[in-house]
């Protein structure tokens, strides 16, 4: 089994920014989402419909690591009256997201190019925060603690954060089975073993996901009153925390 890349040798913020700058169109499919992400389209619907059900009078929405804007656009198609704050490392992603939402969203669209770890936003301001396929770029425990604390601070009382991401499992044998074997088979079936190996290589180099139990426990630790698991399939999960 390959030894994972140590955190200090993972891709830099600039490396990640460069990759996403050159990959905008692949992240712009509202029907399928990311093919390498299991149940991407299902979770897109699940999260946006869940937000509408829990917050029928949305005012302010923050989309962290918005990419090309799939989740915010899908939400705007259902409830177009909110103001949207889009955050991403990549300026081309932000431009694409704003372009797609213009004319669909009735509220204001604000774009911020930033690493979420450096982001400074007002407290008690957002009704809901979307963080999909972004938190796996965090590194050590300090990163995770800081970002989850910020998310809690930025939300209004009663607000919620909706997360969908790659996860690990705390049990090594289970993690190998669900990630290397089962997810590996899924990737091979998309194209071939060469494709699977390429995906695993960039995940190892670029990402540092944490387990579902780690993240849900941390949400409660930083102050969220309740956390609900929405969906889990192999090494991908969606969940929500309420302030």
């Amino acid at each position: 089994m390959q030894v994972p890349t140590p955190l200090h040798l993972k891709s830099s913020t600039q490396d990640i920014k460069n990759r996403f700058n050159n990959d905008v169109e692949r992240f712009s499919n509202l029907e399928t989402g990311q093919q390498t992400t299991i149940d991407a389209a299902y979770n897109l619907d699940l999260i946006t419909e869940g937000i509408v059900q829990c917050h029928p009078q949305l005012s302010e929405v923050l989309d962290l690591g918005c990419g090309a804007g799939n989740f915010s656009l899908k939400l705007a198609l259902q409830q177009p009256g909110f103001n949207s704050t889009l955050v991403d490392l990549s300026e081309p992603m932000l431009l694409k997201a704003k372009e797609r939402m213009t004319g669909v969203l009735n509220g204001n669209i604000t774009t911020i190019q930033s690493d979420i770890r450096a982001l400074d936003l007002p407290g008690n301001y957002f009704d809901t925060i979307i963080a999909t396929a972004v938190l796996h770029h965090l590194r050590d425990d300090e990163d995770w603690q800081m970002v989850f604390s910020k998310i809690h601070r930025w939300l209004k009382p009663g607000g919620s954060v909706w997360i969908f991401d790659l996860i690990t499992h705390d049990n090594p044998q289970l993690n190998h089975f669900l990630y290397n074997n089962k997810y590996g088979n899924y990737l091979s079936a998309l194209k071939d073993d060469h494709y699977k190996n390429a995906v695993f290589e960039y995940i190892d180099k670029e990402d540092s996901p944490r387990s579902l139990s780690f993240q849900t426990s941390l949400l409660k630790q930083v102050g969220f009153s309740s956390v609900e698991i929405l969906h889990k399939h192999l090494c991908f999960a969606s969940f929500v925390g309420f302030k």
Side-chain angles (χ1 to χ4, degrees), residues 102-240:
T102 300
V104 176
L105 188 69
N106 295 330
N108 298 323
I109 303 172
T110 302
T111 60
I112 303 173
Q113 185 182 1
S114 176
D115 185 321
I116 60 175
R117 292 168 294 189
L119 199 58
D120 185 19
L121 294 169
N124 300 311
Y125 186 77
F126 295 98
D127 300 288
T128 196
I129 295 174
I130 302 168
T132 59
V134 63
L135 298 178
H136 62 258
H137 290 133
L138 299 176
R139 297 301 185 221
D140 56 20
D141 285 358
E142 185 178 352
D143 275 359
W144 286 89
Q145 176 85 31
M146 175 181 63
V147 169
F148 275 39
S149 296
K150 282 184 172 186
I151 288 171
H152 182 266
R153 185 169 69 251
W154 294 333
L155 284 168
K156 297 175 182 176
S160 57
V161 58
W162 301 73
I163 298 169
F164 172 50
D165 218 328
L166 175 71
I167 60 166
T168 59
H169 297 80
D170 294 323
N171 181 281
Q173 290 78 20
L174 184 63
N175 193 60
H176 182 79
F177 170 62
L178 294 177
Y179 178 74
N180 297 80
N181 293 350
K182 288 295 188 179
Y183 182 47
N185 291 341
Y186 168 84
L187 292 173
S188 293
L190 281 179
K191 291 187 180 178
D192 51 35
D193 286 346
H194 177 74
Y195 177 74
K196 174 194 73 174
N197 293 336
V199 172
F200 277 168
E201 183 178 343
Y202 87 69
I203 288 175
D204 178 59
K205 179 66 175 173
E206 186 173 293
D207 304 338
S208 41
R210 294 297 183 94
S211 69
L212 184 57
S213 59
F214 172 89
Q215 295 183 65
T216 53
S217 294
L218 185 56
L219 286 172
K220 293 178 181 178
Q221 181 183 323
V222 302
F224 283 86
S225 61
S226 66
V227 179
E228 301 286 351
I229 309 301
L230 301 173
H231 182 70
K232 181 181 180 298
H233 189 171
L234 302 182
C235 50
F236 290 88
S238 57
F239 49 105
V240 56

Side-chain angles (χ1 to χ4, degrees), residues 17-176:
K17 182 191 297 185
N18 291 341
R19 187 172 79 81
F20 284 106
N21 283 347
N22 296 310
D23 216 5
V24 174
E25 291 307 318
R26 190 164 64 93
F27 285 81
S28 303
N29 193 321
L30 201 59
E31 300 304 318
T32 63
Q34 272 282 85
Q35 281 193 309
T36 55
T37 303
I38 295 176
D39 293 343
Y42 176 81
N43 281 281
L44 178 60
D45 288 339
L46 183 66
I47 286 176
T48 53
E49 291 172 15
I51 292 171
V52 170
Q53 290 297 315
C54 293
H55 302 284
Q57 301 297 323
L58 273 179
S59 175
E60 300 290 340
V61 175
L62 172 63
D63 191 344
L64 295 172
C66 66
N70 282 351
F71 278 82
S72 287
L73 176 59
K74 190 80 168 184
L75 184 59
L77 288 168
Q78 299 172 68
Q79 192 179 129
F82 61 88
N83 297 318
S84 174
T85 300
L86 305 170
V87 177
D88 204 89
L89 275 177
S90 167
E91 184 178 13
M93 286 287 191
L94 287 169
L95 292 173
K96 185 67 171 181
K98 185 173 183 178
E99 173 193 312
R100 296 171 78 202
M101 292 181 68
T102 300
V104 176
L105 188 69
N106 295 330
N108 298 323
I109 303 172
T110 302
T111 60
I112 303 173
Q113 185 182 1
S114 176
D115 185 321
I116 60 175
R117 292 168 294 189
L119 199 58
D120 185 19
L121 294 169
N124 300 311
Y125 186 77
F126 295 98
D127 300 288
T128 196
I129 295 174
I130 302 168
T132 59
V134 63
L135 298 178
H136 62 258
H137 290 133
L138 299 176
R139 297 301 185 221
D140 56 20
D141 285 358
E142 185 178 352
D143 275 359
W144 286 89
Q145 176 85 31
M146 175 181 63
V147 169
F148 275 39
S149 296
K150 282 184 172 186
I151 288 171
H152 182 266
R153 185 169 69 251
W154 294 333
L155 284 168
K156 297 175 182 176
S160 57
V161 58
W162 301 73
I163 298 169
F164 172 50
D165 218 328
L166 175 71
I167 60 166
T168 59
H169 297 80
D170 294 323
N171 181 281
Q173 290 78 20
L174 184 63
N175 193 60
H176 182 79

